[in-house]
Amino acid sequence: MTAHYQITGTTAAEILASIETGVRLGELPAGAALPAVRALADQLSVAPGTVAKAYQGLRQRGVVETAGRNGTRVRPKPPVTAGRAELRLPTPPGALDLSVGQPDSRLLPPLGPHLAALASVAGPPVNYSGGRVLPELVDAARERLSADGVPVEAVTVTGGASDAIERLLVTNLRPGDAVAVEDPGWANTIDLVASLGLRVVPMAVDDAGPTPAGLRTALAAGAQAVLVTSRAHNPTGAAVTAQRAAALREVLGRHPDLLLVEDDHAAEISVEPLHSLAGATTTWAFVRSASKPYGPDLRLAVLAGDEATVARVAGRLRVGSGWVSTVLQRLTLSLWRDPAVAEQIALARRSYADRVAALRTALAERGLTGHGRTGINVWLTVPDETRAVAMLRDAGYVVAPGALFRLNSGPGIRITVSPLAERDIEPLADAVARAAASATPTSLSA
């Protein structure tokens, strides 16, 4: 714990509020260790049970996590609006930032012409009574999803993939319920599940997606929901294959009441075909976001699922924010209908695939196994990720530490290929080889 912040309070509520304030102010940054229960109790002259209750409340809200022998620590992305805690360390001058995990802005379709075209045909401003899911967008979404083999029993629109996942979990689960999450997996999802008061259960993943053994282990641990990334898995670039989908469906078929959520966040920029698990359980949802192919500022996702599950999400949206902006819906529809945009998305798909392949090949030539079947990231397991991140930073490359993405799986680093040019590949591979000097394991999960 930082030596500059002193936790105060004589009740569990006061102690909780004090720690939360420290997180909000950035005095207790992500990863900061909190004192042991008895040590803080002695410091504050309160009963150990009082501190334990405060820590329990923080865990239930997803602010902190229990890290075994490492004690209690602030989560990587606690659900507390922060000031300094949200500031990223600056990229050293001249360094190449490969840590962010965002698409190449040069490959995103320009929105200006489509916005101008929409403005020229805009009708009267939409009032509260006019906010809704546009039928023409739903029709287009049904066509696109059906082409990929996704059932379209019911379809709605949410404010992005994370918004959809949050609403699905809130409307189907209760605090304390267990959710199987890929390990390693998307950091935001791990923290989102924890922030809802749900229990995160790690599920092993390899290049073909969640492993059947990992799924069975998670279900044996009491998981009542399973979150699966269909393809372009973040951080490993895994994609569910036809064979793996069949194996996972067999396991899921024995748990029909399970909530199954599929996230196809990359969709059009993935070179791997979709092998969906949709319908493997009675309660299921398939989420496809517009962010990666068309632009992160397009906070829109289509959600397909069984009628009851989709109705719950739509009802939750109606009593909350009401609807997803019809401006965003019309803009997304315009992008979908434009052949020039489709060509640009195809160009992006090939470009990402080429960069991932080139980096994996260069790493292989140096005796290293990079993972990334599709998407914008390459995952590399390393013996010591802290050392690897530091050495690469000194060499002029900023990469994401695996600790952001893993639960029980081993150390690794995530390299985003979006900023890479062809001339960067060989020097980067040399630097990675030096940073991962000792033998590197090849499995993704422990």
Side-chain angles (χ1 to χ4, degrees), residues 98-102 232-238 265 292 356 359-360 371-379 414-418:
L98 308 174
S99 69
V100 181
Q102 61 189 19
H233 173 262
N234 188 356
T236 70
H265 69 101
K292 285 291 192 307
V356 166
L359 179 56
R360 291 181 63 193
H371 301 272
R373 290 183 56 214
T374 186
I376 63 174
N377 299 304
V378 170
W379 174 262
R414 188 195 71 179
I415 305 171
T416 300
V417 302
S418 301

Side-chain angles (χ1 to χ4, degrees), residues 235-260:
T236 70
V240 176
T241 62
Q243 183 178 7
R244 179 59 54 82
L248 294 174
R249 279 181 170 275
E250 183 178 351
V251 178
L252 292 168
R254 295 193 286 271
H255 300 267
D257 296 331
L258 190 75
L259 170 64
L260 169 65

Side-chain angles (χ1 to χ4, degrees), residues 35-336:
V37 169
R38 290 191 177 276
L40 184 57
D42 290 343
Q43 176 186 322
L44 300 178
S45 300
V46 300
T50 302
V51 176
K53 185 176 180 181
Y55 281 11
Q56 180 184 32
L58 290 164
R59 281 195 301 274
Q60 289 174 340
R61 292 196 52 243
V63 177
V64 303
E65 61 184 346
T66 300
R69 294 182 179 179
N70 292 325
T72 300
R73 295 180 177 273
V74 177
R75 293 191 63 86
K77 291 188 178 181
V80 177
T81 301
R84 284 178 294 159
E86 288 190 333
L87 296 178
R88 298 179 65 247
L89 289 174
T91 300
L96 190 58
D97 191 351
L98 308 174
S99 69
V100 181
Q102 61 189 19
D104 187 341
S105 59
R106 297 166 298 183
L107 296 177
L108 296 174
L111 302 184
H114 292 270
L115 288 169
L118 290 175
S120 67
V121 296
V126 173
N127 215 320
Y128 291 110
S129 59
R132 61 196 175 104
V133 176
L134 299 179
E136 56 267 42
L137 181 71
V138 170
D139 289 343
R142 287 180 183 276
E143 182 178 344
R144 296 168 78 89
L145 294 176
S146 294
D148 282 334
V150 179
V152 288
E153 181 178 339
V155 176
T156 192
V157 178
T158 66
S162 292
D163 180 53
I165 293 170
E166 179 174 6
R167 294 179 192 280
L168 286 162
L169 296 177
V170 167
T171 54
N172 286 277
L173 302 178
R174 295 176 298 178
D177 285 348
V179 180
V181 177
E182 293 153 331
D183 179 24
W186 189 30
N188 280 30
T189 296
I190 295 171
D191 289 317
L192 172 62
V193 171
S195 74
L196 297 175
L198 302 169
R199 180 163 59 92
V200 177
V201 177
M203 179 172 56
V205 61
D206 63 15
D207 288 325
T211 67
L215 175 58
R216 286 192 292 267
T217 298
L219 293 174
Q224 293 166 280
V226 175
L227 306 183
V228 176
T229 307
S230 307
R231 47 190 174 174
H233 173 262
N234 188 356
T236 70
V240 176
T241 62
Q243 183 178 7
R244 179 59 54 82
L248 294 174
R249 279 181 170 275
E250 183 178 351
V251 178
L252 292 168
R254 295 193 286 271
H255 300 267
D257 296 331
L258 190 75
L259 170 64
L260 169 65
V261 180
E262 279 187 277
D263 179 10
D264 189 30
H265 69 101
E268 293 94 333
I269 63 167
S270 174
V271 292
E272 292 289 333
L274 177 68
H275 299 289
S276 175
L277 303 176
T281 61
T282 302
T283 305
W284 64 274
F286 181 93
V287 182
R288 178 173 290 178
S289 167
S291 295
K292 285 291 192 307
Y294 300 97
D297 200 30
L298 279 174
R299 310 311 300 163
L300 183 145
V302 294
L303 183 153
D306 65 275
E307 289 187 1
T309 298
V310 173
R312 289 172 185 170
V313 170
R316 183 79 179 191
L317 181 66
R318 186 174 60 252
V319 298
S321 58
W323 69 93
V324 175
S325 166
T326 57
V327 175
L328 282 181
Q329 293 186 60
R330 295 187 189 281
L331 176 58
T332 301
L333 186 59
S334 177
L335 292 167
W336 284 354

